[in-house]
Amino acid sequence: MKISGKHILYAVGLIALPVMMVLAPIEDTAKTSPVETSAPAGMISVALPENLTKEAVIGKRAFDAACASCHGANAAGQDGVAPPLVHKIYEPSHHGDASFHRAVQQGVRAHHWSFGDMPPVEGLTQSDVDAIVAYVRELQRHNGID
């Protein structure tokens, strides 16, 4: 089996996530500046909420370790790699929380975007995915997607 740089980054993220979650202090809310972040060409800009709930703070850590390498910082997507999750397509009425769980567990066949199929993501617990969904949903609401 050929191991790519992407696989190595994923493995490092899976190893780093539990360490980061133990070592990083958990606050009731995380303060972020209410500025927009730039996304790669062809993707979106995401306005960040000033505060995140405790669960979303945990979700951001998990997202950064396991999802951002493909879906980009703050779920803004990466051109040619993976779609933004802060997008109307992923609003709760179209892709409910269970869709995120299935995507992590089983992967997803390409159906809305031309990025190709998403493989399953190993090493995330149901609680990890719940927290990631909380983070993505807070980003979505702050950006007018609910």
Side-chain angles (χ1 to χ4, degrees):
M1 178 173 124
K2 183 177 177 185
I3 298 176
S4 70
K6 187 174 182 180
H7 288 107
I8 292 169
L9 286 175
Y10 174 72
V12 169
L14 287 178
I15 293 167
L17 176 62
V19 173
M20 289 175 12
M21 293 180 81
V22 169
L23 296 178
I26 297 176
E27 302 171 17
D28 287 338
T29 60
K31 301 243 183 224
T32 57
S33 64
V35 298
E36 291 192 9
T37 57
S38 297
M43 297 283 91
I44 62 165
S45 290
V46 176
L48 301 176
E50 190 172 318
N51 296 298
L52 294 171
T53 63
K54 185 176 182 178
E55 184 174 20
V57 169
I58 294 167
K60 179 179 180 0
R61 289 183 188 137
F63 182 92
D64 289 348
C67 311
S69 62
C70 293
H71 288 285
N74 303 312
Q78 288 195 80
D79 196 19
V81 180
L85 300 176
V86 180
H87 192 281
K88 185 170 178 54
I89 285 176
Y90 299 104
E91 69 185 350
S93 65
H94 186 71
H95 282 92
D97 296 356
S99 296
F100 286 85
H101 282 274
R102 276 191 307 278
V104 169
Q105 293 171 350
Q106 302 170 9
V108 179
R109 289 187 57 177
H111 58 286
H112 289 298
W113 306 88
S114 60
F115 294 104
D117 298 340
M118 176 184 155
V121 181
E122 295 180 15
L124 291 175
T125 66
Q126 185 155 347
S127 295
D128 293 333
V129 180
D130 286 339
I132 290 168
V133 170
Y135 169 63
V136 170
R137 296 299 189 209
E138 286 188 31
L139 289 175
Q140 290 174 335
R141 279 191 298 279
H142 189 75
N143 286 273
I145 300 166
D146 29 34

